[in-house]
Amino acid sequence: MANHRHAYLIMAHNEWGLLNTLLSLIDDERNDIFLHIDKKVKQLPELYKPKHSRLFFTPKRYDVRWGDVGQVHSEMHLFKTAKEHGPYQYYHKLSGVDLPIKTQDYIHDFFDKHNGKEFIGFFTLTDFIKGDIERKRRRYYFLMRWNYRTPFVAKWKVTFAKIIRHTALKIQDILHMDRGNELTFRTGHNWVSLTEEAVSYLIGQEDFINRRFAYTTCGDEMYKHSLLISNPEIRERIYDLEDGVHSCMRFIDFNRASDEQKRRGEPYTWQDGDTDELLKSEYLFARKFSSKYPKVISDIEKSLRQTT
């Protein structure tokens, strides 16, 4: 019998009302939901209780910080936790501030039609991206747990870590250090929809991943892409090697991001008035949303429920 079950792997650390909307919209008897809540969250929120899906919490919670290898560890923990309950036709990795913009019937039908394809979005190889990949591939980045995007860390620690990290990077440049070039290194969107085969391959490479992508800044945007594109059989199944947003089927817009969002590497936040653009697009999911703009969230929810 064909396997049509899907696993949703969600990483969340805030925006609990939005997370509950997400959980309710993927609550379907064909889905299992796996949730990682950041270890920094001391008081667990009141969460939506699925009526049709099974909801699992990861056995371990990680203190996830931007740019740090903890992102990689928490992702791999989610993949492994979900696989223990599989197999699944697809594993969808989402954040707690993402939403589906198509119904579950539409999403399942789409993946049935494209069964076997890997939905992983690669950043276009501009000169900047090529240079960024080379820097990340070649050098060690130390103390990434303390960086400018960790406002909960004492400022003196962030400053100390920055001095150590930048000094170490400079020394590595002077000495022409190189960590190795054993993969086709690529970067891209962190949020993917992968087959059982691709997830099994990543899990089988966990020791290598932990060794190679430790001390790599934003390794979570690099390890999946580099390993999967370096595997000839999986590379052939990648949905779209040219258009990163189309390939992961997630509506993510960096062009309209504010200057501050661009500085922090964040995409545009969908706003009230964007509903028609989102729902009429070809994409299955969108990111990111915020409770600052509740109408676009409620409009999407209302539209999907009316269509079901």
Side-chain angles (χ1 to χ4, degrees):
M1 180 180 291
N3 173 29
H4 297 283
R5 295 191 59 75
H6 289 199
Y8 279 88
L9 284 55
I10 302 171
M11 297 177 67
H13 69 279
N14 64 2
E15 291 276 15
W16 308 122
L18 177 51
L19 174 62
N20 282 336
T21 300
L22 168 60
L23 293 174
S24 71
L25 290 175
I26 60 175
D27 182 9
D28 186 286
E29 62 184 6
R30 296 165 289 186
N31 300 334
D32 285 340
I33 303 169
F34 298 86
L35 182 59
H36 175 274
I37 295 181
D38 196 294
K39 191 175 182 180
K40 290 187 291 296
V41 177
K42 302 304 180 188
Q43 178 93 27
L44 290 180
E46 184 85 19
L47 290 177
Y48 171 86
K49 294 178 175 57
K51 300 175 178 62
H52 309 288
S53 298
R54 296 187 299 172
L55 174 62
F56 302 92
F57 292 86
T58 55
K60 185 174 181 180
R61 292 168 59 202
Y62 288 82
D63 178 0
V64 178
R65 304 185 186 190
W66 180 88
D68 180 59
V69 72
Q71 282 268 71
V72 177
H73 294 159
S74 57
E75 279 191 22
M76 289 299 294
H77 186 54
L78 264 171
F79 282 131
K80 289 190 296 181
T81 301
K83 193 172 186 308
E84 289 175 359
H85 296 272
Y88 295 100
Q89 183 184 19
Y90 276 94
Y91 294 72
H92 307 290
K93 184 169 175 291
L94 301 174
S95 87
V97 292
D98 298 351
L99 288 176
I101 49 177
K102 296 289 189 289
T103 65
Q104 284 303 301
D105 283 343
Y106 185 104
I107 289 171
H108 277 263
D109 182 61
F110 176 89
F111 285 105
D112 285 344
K113 289 176 179 175
H114 298 90
N115 191 33
K117 292 292 185 181
E118 308 296 348
F119 295 83
I120 177 168
F122 295 85
F123 293 149
T124 303
L125 285 175
T126 61
D127 288 343
F128 173 81
I129 293 297
K130 289 178 183 177
D132 187 54
I133 292 171
E134 183 65 12
R135 287 186 291 272
K136 292 175 179 177
R137 174 198 70 76
R138 183 171 53 83
R139 304 189 297 179
Y140 291 87
Y141 287 75
F142 299 108
L143 302 178
M144 282 302 299
R145 288 183 65 71
W146 301 342
N147 64 73
Y148 75 99
R149 287 188 62 171
T150 51
F152 45 84
V153 173
K155 194 170 182 178
W156 71 266
K157 287 186 178 181
V158 174
T159 303
F160 173 75
K162 182 179 179 180
I163 293 169
I164 296 295
R165 184 165 56 250
H166 284 242
T167 301
L169 290 172
K170 190 67 176 175
I171 291 171
Q172 291 175 74
D173 288 341
I174 292 170
L175 297 177
H176 302 290
M177 289 185 63
D178 194 314
R179 296 181 65 180
N181 201 17
E182 61 271 64
L183 296 171
T184 301
F185 285 93
R186 291 290 299 270
T187 57
H189 299 293
N190 194 10
W191 317 101
V192 298
S193 295
L194 300 177
T195 65
E196 178 79 18
E197 292 78 10
V199 169
S200 296
Y201 179 70
L202 289 175
I203 292 172
Q205 296 292 318
E206 185 175 20
D207 289 344
F208 171 78
I209 291 168
N210 288 339
R211 182 174 70 254
R212 186 58 180 83
F213 293 93
Y215 309 111
T216 298
T217 180
C218 298
D220 55 305
E221 295 179 348
M222 196 172 197
Y223 82 95
K224 300 184 294 295
H225 303 73
S226 301
L227 279 158
L228 296 180
I229 203 171
S230 297
N231 181 310
E233 291 183 9
I234 294 176
R235 179 191 173 101
E236 285 187 3
R237 301 204 305 266
I238 292 172
Y239 185 56
D240 186 342
L241 280 168
E242 303 302 323
D243 185 330
V245 173
H246 182 246
S247 190
C248 66
M249 288 303 287
R250 285 148 173 83
F251 204 163
I252 307 170
D253 187 350
F254 283 94
N255 294 325
R256 279 181 281 182
S258 67
D259 290 342
E260 176 62 17
Q261 286 175 317
K262 290 177 180 176
R263 187 184 74 83
R264 296 171 64 88
E266 298 176 354
Y268 171 70
T269 301
W270 296 105
Q271 301 180 14
D272 299 341
D274 291 335
T275 305
D276 284 348
E277 179 184 2
L278 287 162
L279 294 176
K280 290 177 181 178
S281 76
E282 65 178 312
Y283 303 110
L284 307 176
F285 309 100
R287 76 178 316 268
K288 65 180 193 172
F289 294 89
S290 168
S291 56
K292 294 178 184 176
Y293 305 105
K295 190 173 188 302
V296 66
I297 297 168
S298 62
D299 285 350
I300 288 172
E301 180 179 15
K302 182 179 179 181
S303 176
L304 294 185
R305 295 201 190 288
Q306 287 177 342
T307 309
T308 302

